[in-house]
Amino acid sequence: MRLTLPIFLSAAFFIGFTSYGSAQEDGYVTIKEFDDAMQEIDSMNSQLSRLNPGSTNFLLSGFATAGFIDSPGANSTFAASFSPVFLWTLSDRILFESEMELDFDGESELEFAQINYVVADTLTIGAGKFLSPFGVFTERIHPSWINRLPNAPFIAGHGGLSPNTILGAQARGAVAVGHGKVNYALFVGNGGQLNDGSEEEDEAGLLHWDSIADVDQNKTVGGRVGWMISPGIEIGASILSGKVAADGTSEADVDVDLIGVDFSMQHEINQLNGSLRFDGEYVASSVSDAIYFPGTADALTFTNDRSGGYGQLAFRPTKSESELLRNTEIVTRYDWLDLPSGAPEDETHSRWTFGLDYWLGPSTVLKLAMDQLEIGDEPTTSTFYLQIAIGF
């Protein structure tokens, strides 16, 4: 109906017009009359197209988790969360996407919400709150049904090095280069905020990236460039720079520089009868000189350089004749965080996490995992996880 109605009306109008014209001027229609008729037909089709239903498309997607955590020094607990993702296509070029994170402890958060405009096949611009394109974990791996383990590496969690989200604008795209492809993402947005120790004394020197409003007139800029060498193999590099202290304070000139590199590989290996996947990142953070606990007798300074990273390896025997083995995946990850000497917390964090996953469906996974955490010279502690995650 949507296609045939304008065509039918156009044909009827044209036939009627030419019939009328045939009674004029010995049955012939002048070029001007023909052009006027076609303009009228185009106008009618344009008006009818606005009445067609379904001119925009909406999709509800997302993921959900339920799990159990038993960690030393804390009560064992069950937890659950639901993260709906809303995708709305207003036209071939205008797109909107957002995600809400809802926890069953009553907390909710707008994870991201941005409007995108497709300028060309190689360029899309967007504005709003979006997942940080610095590195790859947050933007590509963090959803619970994609992350092979039930926890996040140190660099991406609370007290991590790189931002999880950016409130600002970005430009991104990809171009073919030889037999591979180069993808890029450039962004500008509100900056992080340096914890000077006035609150949460043990976190003095940490950067908080979840501030809604910027603390100064300057903006943080950065980006990532990735090179897809071949299908399944990519290397990337990221950079970020910006001010992290409020205007009008003695620390107004304090800034941060982040650099990061990442590598990912996924390949089916016949000799192993299955698929092997590796993901790794390294991030280094440097904050210029600042005074912590300002205005107190305990004021101190330290070189606020931090670094950390992770390497994660997963194997799944996808070519096994056994369905049980085909759906089973073995995962291990090592991650670490080096903290600056002289800071209130300066012990190196290192952790091994071991996991066994069973895939109940293409986007539904049951995870059993244990991690072993070392902080400085303290005794090693172990945390146990049981989680089910589903993407839809």
Side-chain angles (χ1 to χ4, degrees):
M1 181 67 179
R2 291 170 56 187
L3 295 177
T4 56
L5 181 60
I7 295 174
F8 173 78
L9 292 176
S10 300
F13 183 88
F14 181 70
I15 292 172
F17 184 85
T18 52
S19 297
Y20 170 79
S22 64
Q24 308 291 323
E25 301 182 10
D26 299 327
Y28 291 98
V29 178
T30 66
I31 294 177
K32 182 179 183 305
E33 291 172 332
F34 180 80
D35 289 341
D36 291 342
M38 294 307 297
Q39 290 178 8
E40 185 68 21
I41 291 172
D42 290 340
S43 176
M44 292 174 59
N45 284 336
S46 177
Q47 295 178 35
L48 288 169
S49 66
R50 297 192 188 100
L51 301 177
N52 287 337
S55 58
T56 64
N57 296 308
F58 175 80
L59 175 67
L60 174 63
S61 182
F63 55 96
T65 63
F68 176 80
I69 304 174
D70 186 5
S71 179
N75 296 326
S76 61
T77 183
F78 287 95
S81 65
F82 171 51
S83 300
V85 176
F86 305 93
L87 305 172
W88 190 11
T89 303
L90 285 81
S91 70
D92 291 340
R93 294 186 178 272
I94 303 176
L95 315 171
F96 173 80
E97 58 180 341
S98 69
E99 177 191 331
M100 289 289 297
E101 184 174 346
L102 309 174
D103 293 329
F104 282 84
D105 59 4
E107 296 185 1
S108 62
E109 182 180 355
L110 181 64
E111 189 76 0
F112 63 82
Q114 70 168 332
I115 300 171
N116 296 311
Y117 182 78
V118 180
V119 179
D121 292 341
T122 58
L123 173 63
T124 298
I125 58 176
K129 183 182 182 182
F130 48 87
L131 295 177
S132 169
F134 186 99
V136 293
F137 183 85
T138 298
E139 192 176 58
R140 303 185 186 182
I141 303 176
H142 94 276
S144 56
W145 70 275
I146 297 176
N147 184 8
R148 266 47 179 181
L149 292 171
N151 57 7
F154 289 128
I155 61 171
H158 175 73
L161 302 181
S162 57
N164 289 328
T165 57
I166 300 289
L167 186 57
Q170 65 172 326
R172 60 192 308 143
V175 293
V177 176
H179 298 291
K181 181 180 292 187
V182 172
N183 58 78
Y184 67 90
L186 307 174
F187 60 84
V188 57
N190 293 343
Q193 184 171 1
L194 180 66
N195 189 330
D196 64 3
S198 301
E199 299 179 1
E200 301 174 317
E201 296 181 2
D202 58 338
E203 295 189 355
L206 281 181
L207 292 172
H208 300 296
W209 295 102
D210 53 358
S211 301
I212 299 301
D214 210 340
V215 297
D216 54 41
Q217 293 294 327
N218 301 285
K219 294 294 171 281
T220 291
V221 296
R224 177 186 180 273
V225 176
W227 179 25
M228 184 74 72
I229 302 173
S230 63
I233 300 178
E234 181 182 3
I235 58 174
S238 304
I239 190 171
L240 178 150
S241 182
K243 301 290 184 181
V244 291
D247 286 335
T249 67
S250 59
E251 310 302 325
D253 292 330
V254 176
D255 53 29
V256 62
D257 294 303
L258 293 181
I259 59 171
V261 291
D262 58 80
F263 175 79
S264 60
M265 181 273 294
Q266 184 169 2
H267 190 62
E268 198 164 57
I269 303 175
N270 294 329
Q271 293 85 342
L272 296 178
N273 211 31
S275 178
L276 195 67
R277 173 171 178 162
F278 177 82
D279 296 285
E281 285 189 66
Y282 172 79
V283 178
S285 168
S286 178
V287 178
S288 58
D289 293 342
I291 299 176
Y292 302 94
F293 307 108
T296 70
D298 297 324
L300 65 102
T301 61
F302 54 85
T303 301
N304 195 2
D305 294 341
R306 302 165 188 254
S307 62
Y310 70 89
Q312 178 174 303
L313 186 66
F315 172 71
R316 182 175 176 182
T318 52
K319 292 189 173 184
S320 173
E321 296 181 359
S322 168
E323 181 180 1
L324 177 65
L325 291 178
R326 287 198 307 271
N327 293 335
T328 301
E329 191 167 23
I330 302 171
V331 191
T332 184
R333 180 176 68 210
Y334 177 75
D335 65 317
W336 77 96
L337 186 64
D338 290 329
L339 302 179
S341 176
E345 283 196 359
D346 59 2
E347 299 89 355
T348 295
H349 291 52
S350 62
R351 177 175 58 183
W352 280 99
T353 306
F354 306 94
L356 184 66
D357 298 347
Y358 187 79
W359 290 88
L360 303 171
S363 62
T364 305
V365 58
L366 178 65
K367 310 175 193 176
L368 176 65
M370 178 190 74
D371 70 33
Q372 293 186 315
L373 171 64
E374 293 184 6
I375 301 178
D377 297 328
E378 298 178 9
T380 301
T381 59
S382 298
T383 299
F384 296 88
Y385 305 85
L386 179 63
Q387 184 187 84
I388 184 169
I390 182 171
F392 55 89

